[in-house]
Amino acid sequence: MSINNNVANNTRFSNENPKFCHSHKSIKTSNYKPSEKAVIFTTTSLGVLGSLAILAKSAKYSLKPSDMFKNIKNSYLAKTDFGAKEVIAMGAGSCIGGLAGGFIVDKDKNNRKSKLRESIMQIGNVSIPILTVHLMVEKIFKNASKGARAFAGLGGVFAGVTIANFVMNKFNNIIFNENNGEKRKMKVTDFSAHVDDFVVAASYISKSDFVHTLGRVIPIALLIPGLEVGNKTAVNK
């Protein structure tokens, strides 16, 4: 399953010190074989499921399949309103799973470095915006009208993504001891990828059945960071 570093003309490999431009297109531009992508998807999914299991156990839900499927409407996944803690936990699990899968299928040192750096960026890109939304909606504007809280939630996502991009670029350059001026540029897709933040913001404001049901998409949305990590290489910027 591992990649042969001696394969000629394979655009996954770089003999130069790579430039790390982080984007949200690693999945689309990935040159990995379908079987390798399947490994990354599997480990990413396991990372999210593992986080869900830990969260469910900490909330006193049974992890026995017989108990979980006997009354699925009362299961952790069905009953819980996902907030900042849950999103961060699942996002971290996704990134760790994606990194593991990426390391399994790719032994190239520059590609692995790109994946490691991307994992740090993605964890920050998950955590900082949702914490900003939580701060804006549940703390600063907690007693405001629904309209004001909705506006605050929207502003929290945009502010959080901007802050995350700045902070994580600085943090990554410190961690990897690089001062080459290379940084991740803001893209429209940065905001479109934050479906979880918008849904959580809506759940803070409204407790309707529709919003609660919509929240079930969050674990699926949080597969994206791990897949980005696992498919990241030194050349697919």
Side-chain angles (χ1 to χ4, degrees), residues 155-212:
V157 174
F158 280 80
V161 172
T162 303
I163 294 169
N165 190 68
F166 176 80
V167 171
M168 297 315 295
N169 270 312
K170 295 292 184 183
F171 183 71
N172 259 327
N173 286 335
I174 292 172
I175 292 294
F176 290 92
N177 195 27
E178 293 173 355
N179 289 304
N180 55 11
E182 202 65 56
K183 63 180 182 179
R184 180 183 186 275
K185 296 179 180 180
M186 293 286 293
K187 296 178 179 292
V188 174
T189 49
D190 288 349
F191 302 100
S192 64
H194 286 271
V195 174
D196 54 310
D197 297 333
F198 290 109
V199 174
V200 170
S203 70
Y204 285 151
I205 299 164
S206 172
K207 300 301 180 184
S208 70
D209 291 340
F210 173 75
V211 172
H212 177 79

Side-chain angles (χ1 to χ4, degrees), residues 7 31 46-47 55 75 87 91 93 104 107 114 122 125 132 163 179 200 203 236:
V7 176
N31 290 315
L46 289 173
L55 289 166
S75 66
V87 167
I104 289 171
K107 309 301 184 187
S114 288
Q122 290 290 347
N125 200 34
T132 307
I163 294 169
N179 289 304
V200 170
S203 70
N236 68 343

Side-chain angles (χ1 to χ4, degrees), residues 6-210:
N6 295 321
V7 176
N9 299 321
N10 191 326
T11 57
R12 300 176 199 166
F13 307 118
S14 171
N15 293 322
E16 301 175 356
N17 189 34
K19 294 181 179 181
F20 297 96
C21 299
H22 301 269
S23 67
H24 283 276
K25 60 182 182 179
S26 297
I27 302 170
K28 293 181 180 179
T29 60
S30 173
N31 290 315
Y32 292 125
K33 295 182 291 186
S35 60
E36 294 165 342
K37 291 180 181 179
V39 170
I40 295 169
F41 180 82
T42 299
T43 57
T44 301
S45 300
L46 289 173
V48 174
L49 288 172
S51 294
L52 279 169
I54 293 171
L55 289 166
K57 190 68 176 177
S58 66
K60 309 300 182 184
Y61 281 84
S62 173
L63 296 182
K64 292 181 180 179
S66 58
D67 293 335
M68 292 168 61
F69 293 104
K70 182 168 58 178
N71 192 355
I72 197 166
K73 289 184 178 180
N74 289 319
S75 66
Y76 176 80
L77 188 59
K79 294 284 287 185
T80 303
D81 287 320
F82 297 123
K85 178 183 72 175
E86 291 79 16
V87 167
I88 292 170
M90 286 186 281
S94 175
C95 292
I96 293 169
L99 184 64
F103 272 42
I104 289 171
V105 304
D106 198 334
K107 309 301 184 187
D108 181 80
K109 66 178 183 180
N110 283 337
N111 289 344
R112 284 187 165 190
K113 186 176 181 180
S114 288
K115 294 178 197 300
L116 185 59
R117 181 162 178 159
E118 184 71 12
S119 69
I120 296 171
M121 176 64 77
Q122 290 290 347
I123 288 173
N125 200 34
V126 169
S127 304
I128 295 175
I130 194 64
L131 288 172
T132 307
V133 168
H134 181 79
L135 176 66
M136 294 289 285
V137 180
E138 286 291 273
K139 301 296 182 181
I140 298 176
F141 289 89
K142 184 173 184 177
N143 296 319
S145 66
K146 284 188 176 181
R149 296 181 79 204
F151 185 78
L154 183 63
V157 174
F158 280 80
V161 172
T162 303
I163 294 169
N165 190 68
F166 176 80
V167 171
M168 297 315 295
N169 270 312
K170 295 292 184 183
F171 183 71
N172 259 327
N173 286 335
I174 292 172
I175 292 294
F176 290 92
N177 195 27
E178 293 173 355
N179 289 304
N180 55 11
E182 202 65 56
K183 63 180 182 179
R184 180 183 186 275
K185 296 179 180 180
M186 293 286 293
K187 296 178 179 292
V188 174
T189 49
D190 288 349
F191 302 100
S192 64
H194 286 271
V195 174
D196 54 310
D197 297 333
F198 290 109
V199 174
V200 170
S203 70
Y204 285 151
I205 299 164
S206 172
K207 300 301 180 184
S208 70
D209 291 340
F210 173 75

